[in-house]
Amino acid sequence: MEQQDNEEVLILAIESSCDETAASVVKNGREVLSNVIFTQIDLHVRYGGVVPEIASRKHIEKINQVIEEALEQAGVALEEITAIAVTYGPGLVGALLVGVSAAKAISFATGKPLIGVHHISGHISANYIEYPELEPPFVCLVASGGHSHLVTVRDYGEYDIIGRTRDDAAGEAFDKVARAIGLGYPGGPKIDKLSREGNPDAISFPRAKVAENEYDFSFSGLKSAVLNYLNACRMKGEKICQADVAASFQKAVIDVLVAHSLHAVKEYGVDKFAIAGGVASNSSLRSAFAQECGKCGIRFFHPSPVYCTDNAAMIGAAGYYEYRKGVRHGYDLNAVPNLKLG
Ligand code: KG4
Ligand code: ZN
């Protein structure tokens, strides 16, 4: 590790991989001094999902303001920053480019080191913010709009993906099912809320298993089962109880996520399990994991909802450990839309 133990490291972190323009100042990887998030959800609602061109344009409009606010709220001057961390993939290329260009410009103007961060590494590192005692190794479930990964965290920033989705990501399934039952975008929080009024055992939806890898996920069959159920009800003229559909669908997703995750934790012989990504803010998922981990004596880590969905504080946490390892990027750092985690 390059850093001296008594050195105070202030990371200015930038995140713009999808529809949140975000900047944050993080001290020594775990203390969030500011966490500014401009969410574009309102702009994309009418289209039922994120429109990449609109996202890029809005990032350009907002990025400087969000960065300035992050510094101001932290009470930190740009000269006091140790390094600049930025998400450079995966994500929407035009959206990523805005954050990467801003970070490069600040790095060039100030001479501060530039550190590119993997978005998923950021999501996982969100757990370090509120759990100062959490250290690798542990198993982490990353469930977001674009990813459903079961990961072993060997060390800071070092991961093995042991399970992934074969088709839709968990969040994508939430968004598609929400659209089908007429809840609109973004689906996850709406299904979460409506499910509280529904019966999770009202409709029996499938829990898919992937034959070749016991840790992999598949959610497209479940999504089709929900669509078939809705069509069948409409054809028969039966009334659809939205809350029951939402709760039964959500339970089917959670059952699979919990079963695969706990199996992995036991198989890999660790006693720590963390969740990350937008879907990790789901209230039923959090209580299901709390209950099951409790039964098995596994310590369960779950970031506050604001650190589950996209934010820059998580990039600051991940960026800090990259900084300590001596990772530095040049001004040729580019956006990599399909960046691999490794
Ligand atoms: O991590 P995130 O903000 O962005 C990506 O990296 O994809 O995740 C967004 C996803 C969306 O699909 C959204 O519907 C889902 O997370 N989500 C939720 C909840 N809040 C957000 N899914 C289920 N329950 C929630 N409460
Ligand atoms: Zn994300």
Side-chain angles (χ1 to χ4, degrees), residues 119 123 144 310 314:
H119 183 73
H123 273 303
S144 70
D310 287 349
M314 67 184 196

Short mmCIF file of all heavy atoms in Angstrom, two decimals, residues 119 123 144 310 314, ligand 2:
data_model
loop_
_atom_site.label_atom_id
_atom_site.label_comp_id
_atom_site.label_asym_id
_atom_site.label_seq_id
_atom_site.Cartn_x
_atom_site.Cartn_y
_atom_site.Cartn_z
N HIS A 119 -18.13 0.50 -11.82
CA HIS A 119 -19.40 0.85 -11.18
C HIS A 119 -19.84 -0.21 -10.15
O HIS A 119 -20.33 0.14 -9.06
CB HIS A 119 -20.46 1.02 -12.27
CG HIS A 119 -21.80 1.44 -11.78
ND1 HIS A 119 -22.07 2.71 -11.34
CD2 HIS A 119 -22.97 0.75 -11.65
CE1 HIS A 119 -23.34 2.79 -10.96
NE2 HIS A 119 -23.91 1.61 -11.15
N HIS A 123 -20.71 -0.15 -6.14
CA HIS A 123 -21.90 -0.64 -5.42
C HIS A 123 -21.49 -1.50 -4.23
O HIS A 123 -22.01 -1.36 -3.12
CB HIS A 123 -22.79 -1.46 -6.35
CG HIS A 123 -23.78 -0.62 -7.12
ND1 HIS A 123 -24.69 0.21 -6.50
CD2 HIS A 123 -24.01 -0.47 -8.45
CE1 HIS A 123 -25.44 0.81 -7.40
NE2 HIS A 123 -25.05 0.43 -8.61
N SER A 144 -28.97 -4.84 -9.44
CA SER A 144 -29.33 -3.48 -9.85
C SER A 144 -30.14 -3.56 -11.13
O SER A 144 -30.61 -4.63 -11.52
CB SER A 144 -28.05 -2.66 -10.06
OG SER A 144 -27.36 -3.13 -11.20
N ASP A 310 -27.78 4.38 -7.41
CA ASP A 310 -26.55 5.03 -7.88
C ASP A 310 -26.22 6.31 -7.12
O ASP A 310 -27.08 7.17 -6.91
CB ASP A 310 -26.68 5.33 -9.38
CG ASP A 310 -26.58 4.05 -10.21
OD1 ASP A 310 -26.20 3.00 -9.64
OD2 ASP A 310 -26.87 4.11 -11.41
N MET A 314 -20.24 5.87 -3.07
CA MET A 314 -19.74 4.49 -3.23
C MET A 314 -18.52 4.45 -4.14
O MET A 314 -17.62 3.62 -3.95
CB MET A 314 -20.86 3.58 -3.77
CG MET A 314 -21.29 3.90 -5.20
SD MET A 314 -22.70 2.85 -5.71
CE MET A 314 -22.64 3.08 -7.51
ZN ZN B 2 -25.76 1.14 -10.36
#
